[in-house]
Amino acid sequence: MQKIFLPIIWSALLGLTMLSACSKQEKNKKPNIIYILADDLGYAELGSYGQQLIETPHLDALAARGMRFTQHYAGAPVCAPSRCVLLTGQHAGHAYIRGNDEWASRGDVWDFAKAVEDPNLEGQWPMPDSIPTIGNVLQGAGYKTALVGKWGLGGPLTDGIPNNRGFDFFYGYNCQRQAHTLTPRHLWKNREKVWLENDLVAPGTKLDSLADPNDLASYAKYFQKDYAPKLMQDEALKFIEENQEQPFFLYYATPLTHAPIQVPQEYVFKYVEKFGDEKPYIGDRGYFPNRYPKAAYAAMVSYLDSQVGEIVEKLKETGQYENTLIIFSSDNGPTYNGGTFSPYFDSAKPFKSEYGWGKGFTHEGGIRVPMIASWEGKIKPGSTSHLISAFWDVMPTLAEVAEIESPDSDGVSFLPELLGKEQTKHEFLYWEFPSYHGQQAVRYGSWKGIRKNIFKGNMEIELYNLDLDPAEQNDVADQNPDVVKKIAKIMVDEHRPAVNDRFRITQLGDVKTAQ
């Protein structure tokens, strides 16, 4: 009997030892990080942020399982500079990329067809390799890193491609202009161009001259076989599946919900039934025409929502959910063109979203964005944070999550806030933006200072009390000269002349270099 049971006992002890070792190994594994960045999604376009017309059950569930931030800000009011701020931890007064620079000195970069064939015409002005990104930092901590989606920080034939800026894997659009169609001729996979089964239909292509705008069939050329957001989702899920043995960082920079309004029709029909018939968008404000623009825009948000749900399910399926921090946000506020009709959805409520107040402008509608963070067992479910935070806080936050030192940045880690611990707070937040006539903005407690039309010679500062006037309708600068003086000093102290002449604001003392 003893001879029979001894091997069984030793086998059981060995099994327990292995289980203990596996458990310890799993416990010691650094947490995975998924940062999902929507494109032009408004502050109030999710149900958890008050949206009444668009259905977002998966993102609402993410908020219910985690923390919803009410005072989180993008890095800039448009794509490229906001992403630069996010990835480098430098606010717009210090960041290398401060606007959308299409680098027109290379040639006819706005000729969509030429850029499809010639990668020399693709992409935006590149970031130098001297500036570390979140990808670089997490690579150094042993993370496998990936960017799936839209880049916009360095053309395909430059050193500024994602694979040279901290990302082991890249799939998606290198160029923001090429992302002006969601059924493109090509995407990029690492350094290789991947051709898709789509015809070339350049952004701005109108309906055929004899087409009936009320007939859905007239819009057929805008809906083709290979839908970029679907292809990107496949790659994101594959990356999660393939990286179960080491910590990973997935920066998922989806092109949704940026115009053009393109989404599989089955998603649209649901909202046509809900909203009823509507006036077609014939393309007079850019991008592509659409038979049911409001229904289709809502469908794009819901499509993105369903993809977030798939990511959560994949994490659960692979046993990685409890060890993964998921953060969801948007690169700036809602747009005003392409048939998106943001006022119809009250996309930035309680802020204004139309032209002059949403995308492109440093008013709250242009830079206040949703942020949801979920981390099973770490973040209190259903919690809400009113912490004033911004994109430049993400670098030190993720470095702290990975238990490594962050490079110098303008940010403050909000990991303590996520974990319910004592949180260090900003004294102020600062933005500058050398487009739409030049702008500066400062958030200082409940105060918001804005300087607009700088290139037109205006240096006056508007002042708003966001607690009393979140829509920024009542300028109270005259009644609060001391606050205006403080904000003016911040605008001086936080501005550093841009390296790229395209981003210089000469009225702030910048000097353009000789070309």
Side-chain angles (χ1 to χ4, degrees), residues 38 106 113 155 176 199 249 270 286 316 342 377-378 409 431 438 454 488:
R106 294 174 295 168
Q176 294 175 171
D199 295 327
F249 169 53
K270 171 184 174 180
K316 291 180 177 179
S342 61
K378 301 285 188 178
S409 77
W431 297 263
I454 297 173

Side-chain angles (χ1 to χ4, degrees), residues 58 237 308-318 321:
H58 299 289
L237 296 175
V308 173
E310 290 174 357
I311 288 170
V312 171
E313 285 306 307
K314 175 59 70 173
L315 291 170
K316 291 180 177 179
E317 174 191 315
T318 55
Y321 176 67

Side-chain angles (χ1 to χ4, degrees), residues 446-495:
S446 62
W447 299 105
K448 174 77 173 292
I450 297 181
R451 181 182 278 154
K452 299 184 291 190
N453 298 317
I454 297 173
F455 290 134
K456 293 183 177 182
N458 177 59
M459 296 298 286
E460 294 297 317
I461 295 173
E462 300 171 13
L463 183 68
Y464 302 98
N465 185 326
L466 296 180
D467 288 346
L468 303 176
D469 179 27
E472 299 164 295
Q473 296 299 289
N474 301 300
D475 181 1
V476 293
D478 289 345
Q479 297 98 294
N480 299 276
D482 290 343
V483 177
V484 173
K485 184 178 179 181
K486 172 67 175 178
I487 286 174
K489 186 177 188 304
I490 292 171
M491 289 179 172
V492 171
D493 292 346
E494 295 304 309
H495 169 74

Side-chain angles (χ1 to χ4, degrees), residues 71-75 85 388-394 414 426 429 431:
Q71 300 197 81
H72 188 66
Y73 288 90
V85 169
I388 298 173
S389 58
F391 272 19
W392 48 97
D393 297 328
V394 175
F414 53 77
H426 285 283
L429 301 178
W431 297 263

Side-chain angles (χ1 to χ4, degrees), residues 233-483:
Q233 179 77 350
D234 291 344
E235 292 291 344
L237 296 175
K238 183 180 178 183
F239 178 78
I240 294 170
E241 180 80 40
E242 292 178 347
N243 287 279
Q244 300 182 45
E245 303 303 321
Q246 66 181 106
F248 69 77
F249 169 53
L250 171 58
Y251 169 41
Y252 195 167
T254 172
L256 299 172
T257 55
H258 194 295
I261 305 172
Q262 291 174 295
V263 66
Q265 287 297 328
E266 60 266 28
Y267 283 80
V268 179
F269 294 145
K270 171 184 174 180
Y271 283 104
V272 171
E273 184 176 344
K274 183 175 181 177
F275 297 167
D277 197 11
E278 58 178 293
K279 181 181 177 180
Y281 169 64
I282 60 172
D284 54 316
R285 300 184 68 185
Y287 301 97
F288 294 139
N290 194 286
R291 174 61 187 87
Y292 302 105
K294 293 170 184 172
Y297 182 76
M300 287 175 70
V301 179
S302 287
Y303 188 92
L304 170 59
D305 177 76
S306 69
Q307 291 189 316
V308 173
E310 290 174 357
I311 288 170
V312 171
E313 285 306 307
K314 175 59 70 173
L315 291 170
K316 291 180 177 179
E317 174 191 315
T318 55
Q320 300 177 86
Y321 176 67
E322 292 185 353
N323 196 43
T324 301
L325 168 62
I326 305 170
I327 299 177
F328 176 91
S329 191
S330 176
D331 66 343
N332 49 251
T335 194
Y336 48 82
N337 58 10
T340 53
F341 299 112
S342 61
Y344 174 78
F345 295 104
D346 218 348
S347 295
K349 186 180 180 179
F351 320 116
K352 292 169 68 68
S353 63
E354 53 265 41
Y355 183 84
W357 299 91
K359 180 178 179 177
F361 295 87
T362 53
H363 281 293
E364 294 294 284
I367 56 175
R368 183 92 70 103
V369 291
M371 184 172 77
I372 297 168
S374 176
W375 191 359
E376 188 77 7
K378 301 285 188 178
I379 297 175
K380 182 180 178 181
S383 53
T384 297
S385 171
H386 303 298
L387 177 72
I388 298 173
S389 58
F391 272 19
W392 48 97
D393 297 328
V394 175
M395 167 77 89
T397 300
L398 299 192
E400 188 173 5
V401 169
E403 299 179 343
I404 54 173
E405 187 173 345
S406 172
D408 289 339
S409 77
D410 295 310
V412 174
S413 170
F414 53 77
L415 180 61
E417 184 78 358
L418 297 179
L419 302 180
K421 299 179 179 179
E422 186 175 350
Q423 172 67 49
T424 301
K425 298 178 181 180
H426 285 283
E427 180 187 359
F428 61 83
L429 301 178
Y430 172 78
W431 297 263
E432 65 180 61
F433 184 46
S435 298
Y436 295 79
H437 310 301
Q439 305 167 55
Q440 287 178 292
V442 170
R443 175 74 194 265
Y444 176 56
S446 62
W447 299 105
K448 174 77 173 292
I450 297 181
R451 181 182 278 154
K452 299 184 291 190
N453 298 317
I454 297 173
F455 290 134
K456 293 183 177 182
N458 177 59
M459 296 298 286
E460 294 297 317
I461 295 173
E462 300 171 13
L463 183 68
Y464 302 98
N465 185 326
L466 296 180
D467 288 346
L468 303 176
D469 179 27
E472 299 164 295
Q473 296 299 289
N474 301 300
D475 181 1
V476 293
D478 289 345
Q479 297 98 294
N480 299 276
D482 290 343
V483 177

Side-chain angles (χ1 to χ4, degrees), residues 142-220:
Y143 278 71
K144 189 77 169 180
T145 61
L147 163 57
V148 174
K150 189 173 87 172
W151 176 236
L153 295 171
L157 301 184
T158 72
D159 288 336
I161 63 173
N163 298 99
N164 292 339
R165 292 294 174 268
F167 294 96
D168 298 306
F169 177 76
F170 167 57
Y171 183 83
Y173 296 99
N174 173 285
C175 177
Q176 294 175 171
R177 299 184 310 280
Q178 291 292 313
H180 288 181
T181 173
L182 297 181
T183 54
R185 282 287 292 119
H186 73 281
L187 294 171
W188 289 87
K189 190 168 188 177
N190 296 317
R191 293 172 171 82
E192 300 295 323
K193 181 182 283 190
V194 179
W195 292 102
L196 307 182
E197 294 187 51
N198 296 325
D199 295 327
L200 175 63
V201 181
T205 300
K206 299 294 194 294
L207 290 171
D208 295 338
S209 59
L210 299 178
D212 177 3
N214 292 308
D215 184 353
L216 184 60
S218 300
Y219 302 82

